[in-house]
Amino acid sequence: MSVRVVVVDDRRLVAEALASALRVRGHRVLGAASPVSRAAELAVSKQPEVCLLGTGAPEGEGVLDPVLRIRRECPRVAVVVLGPVPSPRGVAAAFAAGARGYVRHDERIEGVERALAKAKAGEAAVAPQLLREAFAELLNPRTGPDAEGARLAGLLTDREAEVLRRIVDGDDTRLIAAGLGVAPSTARTHIQRLLTKLGTASRLEAAALAVRTGLLRHLPGAAGPAD
């Protein structure tokens, strides 16, 4: 089923790559843009059937405001959010804003296509497991300000935790490699795995997430709160 779609992502290269892949598979891509703040503008001007919106932080303040505007000004345009993997709060935030679907960043293009087709048909386009996790989060929210930081810390290996500490300290790839005693190429691999696990698109986003959630306090060897 061919879909008339616009593609918007926080990362321009990702938006262009997705647009190209969808065109090759027979979909009519009316436009591609970055960052996600341009989603509503593009949807209003192009009037697609579906807007594919990619973001590394769907639960962030104001990130999904374009979805609210699209639902208000273009109610016939279905929005599918492309977001982080371990993000039940992100799924909940997307649907609360009016999105019709949520697809993981690591989903194959065939999965993205299925989500677009479902959204076009007026169906909820989300994997059952993600939906169950989102409902569990809504019904049994984690308590305490550090709950998200503790969850994220549990995803990281000791090496990734050390990389994160160095990123927060402002170290570049060369300094991280030297501190770990590895080659720069190996350091870059550790950095990319860390960003993927945190659902962030850049080191700056990872550092901001670590500070906002108190993640560093939950890493191995971290000092406990002062008495």
Side-chain angles (χ1 to χ4, degrees), residues 7-9 11 14 18 51-58 79-84 101-107 112:
V7 181
V8 186
D9 196 283
R11 297 158 293 177
V14 173
L18 280 169
C51 173
L52 182 61
L53 185 152
T55 175
V79 178
V80 173
V81 173
L82 189 66
Y102 188 102
V103 182
R104 297 167 20 149
H105 269 146
D106 64 348
E107 182 62 76
V112 176

Side-chain angles (χ1 to χ4, degrees), residues 102-177:
Y102 188 102
V103 182
R104 297 167 20 149
H105 269 146
D106 64 348
E107 182 62 76
R108 295 171 63 88
I109 190 64
E110 294 85 356
V112 176
E113 282 188 293
R114 286 193 293 271
L116 296 180
K118 284 187 175 182
K120 175 182 176 179
E123 302 175 24
V126 60
Q129 179 61 30
L130 284 178
L131 198 56
R132 284 194 294 270
E133 291 174 356
F135 274 115
E137 177 69 23
L138 288 173
L139 294 173
N140 300 289
R142 297 178 180 89
T143 57
D146 287 349
E148 183 66 2
R151 183 187 73 81
L152 291 171
L155 301 175
L156 307 182
T157 65
D158 289 347
R159 181 54 60 92
E160 289 160 354
E162 180 61 22
V163 169
L164 179 59
R165 288 194 184 96
R166 293 179 180 277
I167 287 175
V168 173
D169 287 342
D171 289 1
D172 59 17
T173 301
R174 179 181 59 81
L175 289 174
I176 292 173

